[in-house]
Amino acid sequence: MSRGTAPPHLQQVGTAERTKLTLKAGDFEGATGVYTQRVTSTGQTYDALVNLPILSASSHINVYVLWSTDSTTTSNTATWRLRYAAVTPETDATTATVAVLTTAIAADAASATANTLQRTAAGVIDAGNVLEGDMLKLRLDIASVVGFALATDVVNLHSVELEFIRAVI
């Protein structure tokens, strides 16, 4: 390395990169499981407060829910609902009102194989809704089900993935 050249791990400065952040079930308030949370009713909410890296100003945030069920009936569906609020430390209350996603998470069908890890289609938070310095408050629940009897069918939350573009530094 010649004098004046940054070490290789610092030479990526100025490069935006796609980043994925995973929150396991235990990261959500109200969850009793560390890696898996059984959901027994619609509207049962789980909250999390997430400190994000600096986002690119043009980056939207894609949100995915990873879940499973013991059901093998492929016509059974779960519609996961994630709402959010941008919370500015020293300014906003953690009880801030949550907003719906710009693009809601679509209903996701069970697999023909029991306990298959399912990944929903992306829900989207549009660019500009979470600013530099904001933390992200998330509220997750199952809004509705078709075919499932949540009292008897096992439907598990495993994690939530956030995918975004980190800011150029």
Side-chain angles (χ1 to χ4, degrees):
M1 179 168 63
S2 65
R3 185 175 186 154
T5 303
H9 70 281
L10 294 178
Q11 291 179 1
Q12 294 181 355
V13 172
T15 303
E17 67 179 28
R18 182 158 294 285
T19 302
K20 193 178 287 186
L21 178 66
T22 301
L23 304 170
K24 63 184 182 297
D27 292 330
F28 285 84
E29 181 182 337
T32 55
V34 175
Y35 298 106
T36 302
Q37 174 63 43
R38 182 170 178 191
V39 181
T40 56
S41 65
T42 57
Q44 186 177 346
T45 61
Y46 304 98
D47 291 347
L49 191 59
V50 183
N51 191 9
L52 296 172
I54 299 171
L55 303 178
S56 167
S58 63
S59 179
H60 56 272
I61 302 172
N62 288 334
V63 182
Y64 306 90
V65 176
L66 281 82
W67 65 286
S68 65
T69 179
D70 64 350
S71 173
T72 57
T73 306
T74 58
S75 60
N76 287 358
T77 63
T79 303
W80 294 88
R81 175 175 49 196
L82 190 115
R83 291 163 287 168
Y84 76 98
V87 177
T88 305
E90 305 294 332
T91 303
D92 297 325
T94 58
T95 55
T97 303
V98 289
V100 297
L101 299 176
T102 308
T103 302
I105 298 170
D108 201 29
S111 169
T113 304
N115 303 309
T116 296
L117 186 62
Q118 305 284 120
R119 185 176 191 239
T120 65
V124 178
I125 299 171
D126 271 352
N129 287 332
V130 180
L131 304 175
E132 182 176 343
D134 286 346
M135 294 185 76
L136 188 60
K137 176 184 176 176
L138 301 174
R139 176 163 294 150
L140 177 69
D141 70 323
I142 294 181
S144 63
V145 293
V146 172
F148 287 116
L150 292 177
T152 55
D153 289 323
V154 175
V155 175
N156 290 316
L157 164 67
H158 293 281
S159 60
V160 171
E161 291 179 347
L162 305 175
E163 183 181 54
F164 48 87
I165 305 294
R166 291 179 70 142
V168 174
I169 299 173

